Amino acid sequence: KQAGHEWYGTLKKALKKTGWRCSKVDECLFLRSSKDDGLSFLLVYVDDMLVMTSDRTSYDKIRAEIEAFFALKDLGEAK
């Protein structure tokens, strides 16, 4: 019964280590801002993630950071 809660806790810790902060409005939304990458958003729904960045280079960097913690499967651009 607690698997979802445990997964979220693990994910949140990993994201915090790479500079993400949880939104005060919605715990499924993470934000990160930097001089190099600008503002990035990461939305989480169960075990799916949607990453929004200003360019492909930023996306590739974020993906590599997350892959250091978890195995990912890229489903392509959102439609």
Side-chain angles (χ1 to χ4, degrees):
K1 292 183 178 182
Q2 296 297 321
H5 181 72
E6 291 296 322
W7 160 243
Y8 177 78
T10 301
L11 176 63
K12 188 174 180 178
K13 285 179 189 176
L15 292 175
K16 281 183 132 184
K17 288 180 182 178
T18 57
W20 293 90
R21 61 183 170 83
C22 190
S23 167
K24 294 177 183 176
V25 177
D26 191 330
E27 289 189 352
C28 296
L29 174 62
F30 292 85
L31 304 103
R32 184 168 80 174
S33 182
S34 72
K35 289 181 183 179
D36 297 333
D37 300 323
L39 185 60
S40 300
F41 301 92
L42 189 145
L43 291 163
V44 179
Y45 180 75
V46 187
D47 62 350
D48 292 325
M49 293 182 216
L50 177 65
V51 177
M52 293 171 281
T53 64
S54 58
D55 58 55
R56 183 65 188 205
T57 303
S58 298
Y59 169 80
D60 291 339
K61 180 180 173 184
I62 292 166
R63 181 187 167 109
E65 290 171 352
I66 296 172
E67 281 184 318
F69 296 96
F70 309 105
L72 300 179
K73 180 178 179 182
D74 193 334
L75 300 177
E77 292 188 20
K79 297 179 183 179

